[in-house]
PDB file of all heavy atoms in Angstrom:
ATOM      1  N   GLY O 108     -10.664  23.975 -17.054  1.00 96.00           N
ATOM      2  CA  GLY O 108      -9.447  24.015 -17.792  1.00 96.00           C
ATOM      3  C   GLY O 108      -9.185  25.342 -18.353  1.00 96.00           C
ATOM      4  O   GLY O 108      -7.952  25.762 -18.364  1.00 96.00           O
ATOM      5  N   THR O 109     -10.127  26.093 -18.815  1.00 96.00           N
ATOM      6  CA  THR O 109      -9.930  27.435 -19.167  1.00 96.00           C
ATOM      7  C   THR O 109      -9.403  28.342 -18.108  1.00 96.00           C
ATOM      8  O   THR O 109      -8.487  29.176 -18.341  1.00 96.00           O
ATOM      9  CB  THR O 109     -11.194  28.045 -19.811  1.00 96.00           C
ATOM     10  OG1 THR O 109     -11.749  27.119 -20.851  1.00 96.00           O
ATOM     11  CG2 THR O 109     -11.062  29.431 -20.404  1.00 96.00           C
ATOM     12  N   ALA O 110      -9.898  28.275 -16.925  1.00 95.00           N
ATOM     13  CA  ALA O 110      -9.527  28.982 -15.732  1.00 95.00           C
ATOM     14  C   ALA O 110      -8.040  28.721 -15.406  1.00 95.00           C
ATOM     15  O   ALA O 110      -7.291  29.654 -15.053  1.00 95.00           O
ATOM     16  CB  ALA O 110     -10.308  28.662 -14.553  1.00 95.00           C
ATOM     17  N   SER O 111      -7.638  27.345 -15.665  1.00 97.00           N
ATOM     18  CA  SER O 111      -6.225  27.240 -15.450  1.00 97.00           C
ATOM     19  C   SER O 111      -5.280  27.921 -16.450  1.00 97.00           C
ATOM     20  O   SER O 111      -4.283  28.411 -16.141  1.00 97.00           O
ATOM     21  CB  SER O 111      -5.787  25.618 -15.495  1.00 97.00           C
ATOM     22  OG  SER O 111      -5.845  25.154 -16.833  1.00 97.00           O
ATOM     23  N   GLU O 112      -5.804  28.067 -17.636  1.00 97.00           N
ATOM     24  CA  GLU O 112      -5.020  28.729 -18.651  1.00 97.00           C
ATOM     25  C   GLU O 112      -5.003  30.298 -18.328  1.00 97.00           C
ATOM     26  O   GLU O 112      -4.016  30.948 -18.480  1.00 97.00           O
ATOM     27  CB  GLU O 112      -5.546  28.413 -19.969  1.00 97.00           C
ATOM     28  CG  GLU O 112      -5.241  27.143 -20.560  1.00 97.00           C
ATOM     29  CD  GLU O 112      -6.088  26.613 -21.515  1.00 97.00           C
ATOM     30  OE1 GLU O 112      -7.275  26.883 -21.601  1.00 97.00           O
ATOM     31  OE2 GLU O 112      -5.605  25.706 -22.298  1.00 97.00           O
ATOM     32  N   LEU O 113      -6.097  30.715 -17.810  1.00 96.00           N
ATOM     33  CA  LEU O 113      -6.138  32.214 -17.507  1.00 96.00           C
ATOM     34  C   LEU O 113      -5.243  32.436 -16.410  1.00 96.00           C
ATOM     35  O   LEU O 113      -4.329  33.549 -16.423  1.00 96.00           O
ATOM     36  CB  LEU O 113      -7.618  32.598 -17.181  1.00 96.00           C
ATOM     37  CG  LEU O 113      -7.758  34.030 -16.808  1.00 96.00           C
ATOM     38  CD1 LEU O 113      -7.090  35.107 -17.725  1.00 96.00           C
ATOM     39  CD2 LEU O 113      -9.324  34.366 -16.599  1.00 96.00           C
ATOM     40  N   ALA O 114      -5.260  31.607 -15.406  1.00 96.00           N
ATOM     41  CA  ALA O 114      -4.391  31.824 -14.139  1.00 96.00           C
ATOM     42  C   ALA O 114      -2.810  31.752 -14.665  1.00 96.00           C
ATOM     43  O   ALA O 114      -2.136  32.575 -14.207  1.00 96.00           O
ATOM     44  CB  ALA O 114      -4.653  30.781 -13.123  1.00 96.00           C
ATOM     45  N   LEU O 115      -2.571  30.811 -15.555  1.00 97.00           N
ATOM     46  CA  LEU O 115      -1.164  30.599 -16.021  1.00 97.00           C
ATOM     47  C   LEU O 115      -0.747  31.790 -16.794  1.00 97.00           C
ATOM     48  O   LEU O 115       0.375  32.171 -16.689  1.00 97.00           O
ATOM     49  CB  LEU O 115      -1.041  29.290 -16.790  1.00 97.00           C
ATOM     50  CG  LEU O 115      -1.161  28.009 -15.895  1.00 97.00           C
ATOM     51  CD1 LEU O 115      -1.252  26.792 -16.831  1.00 97.00           C
ATOM     52  CD2 LEU O 115       0.119  27.821 -14.986  1.00 97.00           C
ATOM     53  N   ALA O 116      -1.720  32.405 -17.523  1.00 97.00           N
ATOM     54  CA  ALA O 116      -1.297  33.578 -18.352  1.00 97.00           C
ATOM     55  C   ALA O 116      -0.991  34.687 -17.391  1.00 97.00           C
ATOM     56  O   ALA O 116       0.027  35.469 -17.594  1.00 97.00           O
ATOM     57  CB  ALA O 116      -2.482  33.854 -19.259  1.00 97.00           C
ATOM     58  N   LEU O 117      -1.782  34.872 -16.333  1.00 95.00           N
ATOM     59  CA  LEU O 117      -1.491  36.041 -15.459  1.00 95.00           C
ATOM     60  C   LEU O 117      -0.219  35.754 -14.780  1.00 95.00           C
ATOM     61  O   LEU O 117       0.595  36.680 -14.625  1.00 95.00           O
ATOM     62  CB  LEU O 117      -2.594  36.084 -14.453  1.00 95.00           C
ATOM     63  CG  LEU O 117      -4.107  36.411 -14.989  1.00 95.00           C
ATOM     64  CD1 LEU O 117      -5.046  36.383 -13.874  1.00 95.00           C
ATOM     65  CD2 LEU O 117      -4.053  37.644 -15.674  1.00 95.00           C
ATOM     66  N   LYS O 118       0.024  34.488 -14.281  1.00 95.00           N
ATOM     67  CA  LYS O 118       1.321  34.166 -13.790  1.00 95.00           C
ATOM     68  C   LYS O 118       2.600  34.416 -14.660  1.00 95.00           C
ATOM     69  O   LYS O 118       3.711  34.952 -14.186  1.00 95.00           O
ATOM     70  CB  LYS O 118       1.253  32.599 -13.448  1.00 95.00           C
ATOM     71  CG  LYS O 118       2.630  32.038 -12.811  1.00 95.00           C
ATOM     72  CD  LYS O 118       2.802  32.435 -11.360  1.00 95.00           C
ATOM     73  CE  LYS O 118       4.024  31.802 -10.734  1.00 95.00           C
ATOM     74  NZ  LYS O 118       4.247  32.228  -9.351  1.00 95.00           N
ATOM     75  N   ALA O 119       2.438  34.184 -16.002  1.00 96.00           N
ATOM     76  CA  ALA O 119       3.510  34.256 -16.974  1.00 96.00           C
ATOM     77  C   ALA O 119       3.635  35.697 -17.513  1.00 96.00           C
ATOM     78  O   ALA O 119       4.450  36.018 -18.268  1.00 96.00           O
ATOM     79  CB  ALA O 119       3.409  33.216 -18.022  1.00 96.00           C
TER      80      ALA O 119
END
Side-chain angles (χ1 to χ4, degrees):
Chain O
T109 304
S111 78
E112 287 159 333
L113 176 50
L115 289 166
L117 299 178
K118 175 78 180 178

